[in-house]
Amino acid sequence: MSRTLETLAPILLVAVLLGLWETACRLTGVPAYFLPAPSAVAAAMAQDWALLLGSAWKTLSTALLALAFASLIACSLALIISTNRLLEKAVQPLAVALQVTPVVAIAPQVVIWAGLAHPDRAIISLAVIVAFFPIFSGALTGLKSTDPDLERLFDLYGATPWQKLQRLRIPSATPFILEGHKVAGGLAVIGAVVAEFVAGSGGSQGLAWRILESSNRLQTAKTFAAVIVLSLMGALLHAVLQASEQAILRRFRGR
Amino acid sequence: MSEVASLNAVEVAYPGRGTVLGPFDLALPEGEIVALVGPSGCGKSTALRLLAGLEQPTAGTVTRTPERGQTAVVFQAPTLMPWADATTNVALPLELAGMAKAKAQDQAREALKAVGLENAIGSKPAQLSGGMAMRVSLARALVTRPRLLLLDEPFAALDEITRRNLADDIHRLWDQTRPAVVFVTHNVEEAAYMAQRVVVMSANPGKIAGQTTIEAPLPRPPGFRTSEVFRNAAEDVSRDLAKAMGHIQ
Ligand SMILES: Nc1ncnc2c1ncn2[C@@H]1O[C@H](COP(=O)(O)OP(=O)(O)OP(=O)(O)O)[C@@H](O)[C@H]1O
Ligand SMILES: [Mg+2]
C-alpha cells in the first residue's frame, strides 16, 4: 500500500503542478512567448516529435561517443600515471587546474581550433574534456586503493609488477572506474549541450540548437518541449548507467 | 633441531616514530608453534613482517631458510580478493608461482576441503561468514605447504565458538606437514592453547618480557582447556603480561 503511494506521489505532484500552471495561464492570459501553457508545450512536442527525437539522438550519440573516447584516454592515462609517483605528483596540479576551468570558458577557443567549418569536432572535443575527469580521477584513486595487506601477500608470493597490476590493481579499481563512468555520462551530455550552444551554428542540429532556434523566434512552447526532451534524455542515460553499474558490481562481488 | 628463521638482535625504527622494536631475538625451530603476546603497538606485526622478509630491520640480522613461496601469512582480516571466488583466492599463491591454472584450481579445491569448505568452493568473499572467510584465508596459506606459517591475530574478529573450532583445525592441519608457526594474539588463554612456547612482549620499544613453555601434546587432547597444565601455563603467561604492562614491578 505505502509502496504504491510512494510511486504515485511524485506523479501526482507533477500532475497537480501542471494543472495549476495550466489554470494560471488560462486565467491570467499571459502571452505564450512569455509562458506557454502545458497544453501548448504538449502540442509543440506532438507536432515536432520527429525533429526533436532526431536532435535528441544527435546530442545523445555525441555524448556517448565522447564518453567512449574519454574512457579510453582517461583509463590509459591513469594506468600510466599510477605506475610512477613522481609523474603523478607532476600531473596532479595541472589536472586540477583543467578540471576547475568551466567548459564554457574554453569552448570558444576549442571551436576556433576545431575549425569553424567543423562544429561537430569542437562539440565532441568539449564533451570529451568534461567527461574525462571523473573517469580519470576514479581510475587513479581506484588503482591506488588496493588493500595494503593484499599488496603484501602479492609481494610475499613474488608477484611481478605486471601480475600485481592485472590481478590486483585493476580489479580493485573497477568499482571506482564504474562510478567515474556514471558521473561522466551525465557530464558528457552537459558538455555536448554547452558546446552546441557555443558553436551556435545550425551545423550541429542537436537539442541545444533546437532550443536556440526556437527561443530566437520566440517560439517558447518549442523551447520548453526541447528542454523537456533534454532532461528526459539525461534522466534515461543516468538510469541506464546506474543500472549497468549495479549489475556489473553485483556480478563482480557475487551479491 | 634446525632453525627455519630467526631474528638476531633486530631493531626497527620508523622515521618520526623512533625505535618501535628491539633489540629483539626470536628463533624458530622446525615444527614449533610459538605464540607472541603483548600490548597493542609493541611490535608484534612488525616482528612478523621481518620474519616474512617483507621488511628489513634497521639493525641486527634476520635469517630465513624458506624459499620463495614457502612462507605464508594470515592477517587479522581474511584479506581475500572480493572479486574472486574462494577457489581462485586459494589458487593465487600457486598461480603466482607459475603453476598452470587448472592444476592450481584443483589443489585449491583440495585445500578448501581440508578446512571444511567443500560447499563454498564457488562462493565469493561477500557470501561467506567471518569464520568461513578466515578458513579460506587459512586454506590459501596452507595450499603451498609452507615451512613457515605466520598468523597475525587471525581470530581477532571471530566469536568464541568459531575461535575454538579454528584453533583445533589449525593444530590438525599443522600436524600434517609441521611447519614452524608464529601465532600473534592478545588473548592469554588462546596463546597457551595454541603454542608450545609463549613469548610475551613489552612495548616502547618491543622487547621480550618473558617466556613460557607448555609441556603438552599437540594437537591438544580433549579436555585440555580444563587441565592443570593449561591453567598453570595461562597463569604464567598472565603474570609475564602483567609485568610487561608495568602492573607488577
Ligand atoms: N610503517 C610504519 N611507520 C611508522 N610507524 C609504524 C609503522 N608500522 C608500525 N608502526 C608503529 O610501530 C609500532 C608497532 O607496530 P605493530 O603494528 O608492529 O604493533 P602490534 O604489536 O602489531 O600492535 P597491534 O596489537 O595493535 O596489532 C606501533 O606503534 C606503530 O604505530
Ligand atoms: Mg598487529
Side-chain angles (χ1 to χ4, degrees), chain B residues 41 43-46 49 76 152-153 184 186:
Chain B
K44 303 181 294 290
S45 299
T46 306
R49 284 198 296 275
Q76 177 172 337
D152 196 353
E153 301 186 51
V184 170
H186 278 115

Side-chain angles (χ1 to χ4, degrees), chain A residues 146-160 163-164 166-175 249-255, chain B residues 49 52-54 68-73 75-77 79-84 88-89 92-93 95-98 124-127 140-141 144:
Chain A
T146 47
D147 178 344
D149 278 342
L150 266 177
E151 292 257 0
R152 289 201 185 104
L153 200 84
F154 272 72
D155 288 339
L156 186 74
Y157 292 115
T160 62
Q163 283 174 320
K164 263 172 124 174
Q166 186 199 4
R167 307 189 63 145
L168 180 61
R169 296 239 165 85
I170 292 177
S172 299
T174 302
L249 279 184
R250 212 173 305 122
R251 277 213 52 185
F252 190 71
R253 296 200 180 114
R255 91 165 178 205
Chain B
R49 284 198 296 275
L54 287 167
R68 206 183 87 183
Q70 292 186 323
T71 305
V73 182
F75 302 96
Q76 177 172 337
T79 318
L80 303 173
M81 300 178 285
W83 55 87
T88 309
N89 265 294
L92 178 78
E95 288 183 21
L96 288 179
K124 301 231 172 142
Q127 299 164 322
R140 178 181 58 195
T144 53

Side-chain angles (χ1 to χ4, degrees), chain A residues 9-241:
Chain A
I11 300 173
L12 259 168
L13 179 65
V14 170
V16 168
L17 288 177
L18 284 177
L20 283 176
W21 177 2
E22 183 78 39
T23 325
C25 282
R26 292 195 180 206
L27 288 181
T28 59
V30 60
Y33 74 85
F34 188 78
L35 183 67
S39 56
V41 175
M45 229 186 253
Q47 193 196 337
D48 286 348
W49 67 270
L51 196 63
L52 284 171
L53 272 189
S55 294
W57 171 243
K58 180 84 194 147
T59 301
L60 183 64
S61 55
T62 306
L64 289 177
L65 196 62
L67 186 62
F69 274 127
S71 170
L72 199 73
I73 303 170
C75 288
S76 334
L77 216 59
L79 259 185
I80 295 168
I81 286 172
S82 73
T83 58
N84 187 319
R85 257 184 65 84
L86 191 64
L87 200 59
E88 193 194 324
K89 287 269 172 275
V91 170
Q92 225 162 30
L94 207 64
V96 171
L98 268 176
Q99 186 174 15
V100 298
T101 310
V103 63
V104 251
I106 51 169
Q109 191 54 47
V110 173
V111 170
I112 291 170
W113 282 336
L116 292 171
H118 302 287
D120 281 8
R121 290 183 195 169
I123 293 166
I124 279 267
S125 313
L126 286 163
V128 168
I129 290 172
V130 289
F132 170 85
F133 288 103
I135 304 179
F136 177 71
S137 53
L140 202 56
T141 311
L143 286 166
K144 294 188 307 172
S145 72
T146 47
D147 178 344
D149 278 342
L150 266 177
E151 292 257 0
R152 289 201 185 104
L153 200 84
F154 272 72
D155 288 339
L156 186 74
Y157 292 115
T160 62
W162 169 246
Q163 283 174 320
K164 263 172 124 174
L165 183 70
Q166 186 199 4
R167 307 189 63 145
L168 180 61
R169 296 239 165 85
I170 292 177
S172 299
T174 302
F176 296 84
I177 295 175
L178 288 176
E179 170 73 22
H181 278 80
K182 195 175 69 183
V183 176
L187 286 182
V189 172
I190 296 176
V193 170
V194 168
E196 282 176 17
F197 264 106
V198 174
S201 81
S204 77
Q205 296 288 327
L207 274 177
W209 177 247
R210 294 275 87 85
I211 293 169
L212 270 179
E213 186 187 48
S214 55
S215 65
N216 283 342
R217 295 178 189 163
L218 292 185
Q219 296 169 324
T220 312
K222 288 191 176 187
T223 308
F224 269 67
V227 170
I228 289 170
V229 170
L230 180 59
S231 38
L232 285 179
M233 187 187 86
L236 187 73
L237 179 65
H238 181 82
V240 168
L241 287 172

Side-chain angles (χ1 to χ4, degrees), chain B residues 26 28 32-36 48 51 148-152 180-184:
Chain B
L26 186 69
L28 298 176
E32 193 188 31
I33 303 184
V34 177
L36 268 188
L48 234 53
L51 286 166
L148 178 58
L149 176 60
L150 304 168
L151 304 162
D152 196 353
V181 178
V182 180
F183 185 93
V184 170

